[in-house]
Amino acid sequence: MADSFDAVVIGGGPGGYNAAIRLGQLGLKAACIDKRGRFGGTCLNIGCIPSKALLFASERFEEAKKEFSKIGIKAEVALDLPGMMKHKDKVVGELTKGVEFLFKKNKVEPVVGEARIVASGRIEVRGPDGAVRTLETKNIIIATGSEVMPLPGVAVDEECIVSSTGALALKQVPKRLLVVGGGYIGLELGSVWRRLGSEVTVVEFLDRITPGLDGEVGKAFQRILAKQGMTFKLSTKVVGVEKAGDVLKVAIEPAAGGAQETLETDVMLVSIGRRPYTEGLGLKEIGVTLDPRGRVVTDSHYKTNVPGVWAIGDCREGAMLAHKAEDEAVACAERIAGRAGHVNYDAIPAVVYTAPEVASVGKTEEELKAAGIAYKIGKFPFTANARAKTIAATEGFAKIIADAATDKVLGVHIIGPEAGNLIAEATLAIEFGAASEDIARTCHAHPTLTEAVRQAAMGVEGWTMQM
Ligand SMILES: Cc1cc2nc3c(=O)[nH]c(=O)nc-3n(C[C@H](O)[C@H](O)[C@H](O)COP(=O)(O)OP(=O)(O)OC[C@H]3O[C@@H](n4cnc5c(N)ncnc54)[C@H](O)[C@@H]3O)c2cc1C
Ligand SMILES: NC(=O)c1ccc[n+]([C@@H]2O[C@H](COP(=O)([O-])OP(=O)(O)OC[C@H]3O[C@@H](n4cnc5c(N)ncnc54)[C@H](O)[C@@H]3O)[C@@H](O)[C@H]2O)c1
């Protein structure tokens, strides 16, 4: 006899585990399947969490080495890389256990094994011991996430040619690290290893790093990273790599074609994006439509073309971010429970956790120009913010873009200390349809970094007071 459920979620990442928890909260009988053996998906196991643990620790290391003396602290600092990795592993262990606790609390059944949909409403799960269990369910949510996009002709060995997974677990600090792709992963993990002592070169195909960012912010970001010691080779592609003993010889050439050059490196990180992961799931067999990029096609309520089959997170269209997956999870679970779940894609923040952090929500200037929307801008530099001065972190600025006619906030872009936390206020403003004047006339505590956002909002109407 097959076990039967109201909904079974395939994938235990931020999409999957949040969907299962919300289903449980809404009183539905739910199970969540993951083959990894530990819940939390890419994010908790090999993504957001371990990378942020290493970003935090490496930032403290560099700060202690280079910045403490500027604020009156003398310190002898030495790197304990195994200790840093232990910190990372401990955080990952605690948070993944936390998901199991939340499943228990919300009566979600965790199932460990590889799932395959054999028919609409029927899933087979092959457990670690090879035993196959069949689950019957009214609804299936596909939340199988994404995997590393391979670079043609380059085989990742996770030792000297690594993906983000290998770059989170290097046994020693490479003398030279070549990063292919100047996006989120390349710049975050490149920063980690630069701080710990590597010479980092970023090879980026386009003529700018982090292409989705507001152009002005992107330029400032590159300038700051270059000042920190990262080298950039823009409009350049990797065309081949050869191992010569312990050294990698990497052939690069201009993106538009031209003369080849060879760079030597000790470790190469391939971070050119991620692609949806639905291998072996049986989607073709049951007729679920995928788009040309392999993403599961759904309507705006996360329904696929097969009745009772839904999809959320990295495996469908949109930004590959944990909180986007989480929001879709909640909306999808609520739809399954007969409620009105909805996601506002204009109010999904994005954060690069470098130092300074870069955070944005809503539209960039480039997007507004392309759409022909007239806008006004307010900007405020952290050099003029009192709190930024006290914490000796004055690089960057806050930028608010508002509709020229209505003053509605359309986009907020921040590069600076704690930008990832500061963006929450802007996200709420966009979600509530606020005007820039609403932010400008809201009292902000002094001295805080949030005052920079307020002063930028004042700047939209030209009355920034502290600059
Ligand atoms: C290095 C790195 C850093 C990142 N940092 C951030 C960050 O700071 N902030 C942020 O928002 N995002 C970050 N991301 C992106 C984030 O991890 C993803 O957007 C997020 O994990 C997507 O969630 P998901 O639930 O869609 O899929 P995933 O988290 O990928 O989870 C899918 C799960 O499904 C399981 N699965 C797949 N197929 C099957 C099957 N057939 N049977 C059973 N189980 C299956 C997989 O084992 C996996 O555990 C980062 C990613 C990486 C790689
Ligand atoms: N802080 C965060 O939220 C965070 C952190 C890490 C990862 N992520 C997620 O994971 C996803 C994957 O990260 P990523 O950094 O691999 O992808 P990305 O899309 O952020 O960046 C990839 C970069 O590689 C470049 N590129 C593509 N092909 C190339 C080639 N052949 N040679 C050189 N450059 C090339 C692209 O132009 C782009 O700048 C991100 O899109 C993001 O959604 C998020």
Side-chain angles (χ1 to χ4, degrees):
M1 256 280 286
D3 299 318
S4 74
F5 295 86
D6 293 314
V8 172
V9 188
I10 307 178
Y17 76 74
N18 281 299
I21 289 169
R22 189 73 186 119
L23 288 163
Q25 281 181 341
L26 293 170
L28 298 184
K29 190 177 175 208
C32 182
I33 310 168
D34 203 296
K35 62 181 175 184
R36 195 183 292 274
R38 269 202 323 201
F39 286 89
T42 301
C43 179
L44 270 62
N45 289 286
I46 51 164
C48 328
I49 298 307
S51 61
K52 265 79 256 177
L54 290 184
L55 277 156
F56 171 78
S58 62
E59 193 181 338
R60 298 290 86 74
F61 173 69
E62 187 171 53
E63 218 170 58
K65 252 187 12 184
K66 297 187 183 159
E67 307 296 328
F68 274 16
S69 61
K70 298 181 189 162
I71 55 168
I73 302 170
K74 286 185 185 169
E76 293 263 327
V77 183
L79 177 63
D80 167 16
L81 187 58
M84 211 175 263
M85 293 294 169
K86 223 163 149 186
H87 157 67
K88 175 203 69 174
D89 293 338
K90 181 168 174 277
V91 175
V92 169
E94 286 171 3
L95 287 172
T96 51
K97 276 261 166 298
V99 175
E100 285 174 29
F101 162 79
L102 293 172
F103 280 172
K104 208 176 208 169
K105 184 175 163 205
N106 292 288
K107 302 192 174 54
V108 172
E109 184 177 336
V111 180
V112 174
E114 178 154 14
R116 197 167 64 88
I117 307 172
V118 287
S120 166
R122 210 174 163 84
I123 299 171
E124 279 181 6
V125 187
R126 184 173 296 276
D129 58 358
V132 174
R133 176 180 168 195
T134 302
L135 310 184
E136 272 178 5
T137 177
K138 294 184 193 124
N139 296 281
I140 295 171
I141 302 181
I142 304 165
T144 48
S146 60
E147 62 175 351
V148 175
M149 178 93 76
L151 183 62
V154 174
V156 165
D157 60 20
E158 298 297 15
E159 284 190 1
C160 53
I161 302 179
V162 296
S163 72
S164 50
T165 306
L168 288 166
L170 295 178
K171 302 228 166 35
Q172 55 197 29
V173 180
K175 187 170 172 314
R176 295 162 300 186
L177 171 69
L178 187 119
V179 174
V180 192
Y184 283 81
I185 291 177
L187 301 178
E188 287 187 353
L189 295 181
S191 290
V192 165
W193 292 106
R194 185 202 54 72
R195 292 166 185 166
L196 301 182
S198 300
E199 288 161 26
V200 176
T201 303
V202 177
V203 175
E204 165 60 49
F205 186 81
L206 298 177
D207 60 358
R208 51 188 290 199
I209 58 166
T210 42
L213 284 184
D214 183 84
E216 185 183 13
V217 173
K219 273 201 193 100
F221 188 29
Q222 191 190 327
R223 216 171 29 244
I224 292 171
L225 293 176
K227 207 170 84 189
Q228 291 173 357
M230 253 189 213
T231 304
F232 291 96
K233 287 201 169 281
L234 303 183
S235 306
T236 302
K237 61 185 177 194
V238 168
V239 288
V241 55
E242 260 177 36
K243 272 188 203 171
D246 284 346
V247 173
L248 295 173
K249 293 187 181 242
V250 184
I252 59 167
E253 67 177 42
Q260 262 191 27
E261 198 188 321
T262 303
L263 295 180
E264 289 198 350
T265 189
D266 304 295
V267 173
M268 178 165 115
L269 163 62
V270 178
S271 49
I272 58 165
R274 294 178 63 83
R275 62 183 184 189
Y277 181 72
T278 57
E279 208 179 273
L281 202 54
L283 296 188
K284 256 193 215 135
E285 291 80 347
I286 65 156
V288 171
T289 306
L290 304 182
D291 73 10
R293 289 162 66 179
R295 302 178 297 191
V296 181
V297 175
T298 74
D299 66 9
S300 58
H301 298 149
Y302 313 105
K303 278 185 181 159
T304 70
N305 60 313
V306 175
V309 180
W310 311 66
I312 56 171
D314 278 13
C315 69
R316 68 178 292 279
E317 69 173 305
M320 289 184 168
L321 295 173
H323 43 280
K324 175 261 193 187
E326 176 181 351
D327 272 31
E328 291 183 348
V330 171
C332 180
E334 290 180 347
R335 287 271 161 189
I336 288 174
R339 298 192 175 203
H342 172 74
V343 176
N344 175 4
Y345 288 95
D346 280 333
I348 297 198
V351 182
V352 194
Y353 296 86
T354 43
E357 290 180 349
V358 184
S360 62
V361 63
K363 304 285 186 228
T364 62
E365 271 200 72
E366 290 74 15
E367 285 170 331
L368 292 172
K369 272 189 194 130
I373 296 171
Y375 57 86
K376 297 173 296 182
I377 289 178
K379 242 174 23 182
F380 191 79
F382 283 100
T383 41
N385 174 270
R387 185 58 177 275
K389 286 237 182 252
T390 64
I391 63 169
T394 53
E395 268 178 325
F397 55 87
K399 171 174 173 177
I400 299 198
I401 312 178
D403 188 287
T406 64
D407 193 34
K408 190 175 172 186
V409 179
L410 300 177
V412 178
H413 307 277
I414 306 173
I415 174 164
E418 298 285 336
N421 286 325
L422 297 179
I423 207 68
E425 169 181 14
T427 307
L428 201 64
I430 289 183
E431 183 68 40
F432 285 7
S436 79
E437 190 177 354
D438 291 321
I439 301 177
R441 293 194 183 275
T442 298
C443 185
H444 287 64
H446 177 74
T448 62
L449 297 166
T450 66
E451 288 174 288
V453 178
R454 182 189 195 182
Q455 293 288 327
M458 288 171 164
V460 173
E461 288 297 336
W463 62 289
T464 296
M465 292 168 62
Q466 291 166 7
M467 192 180 67

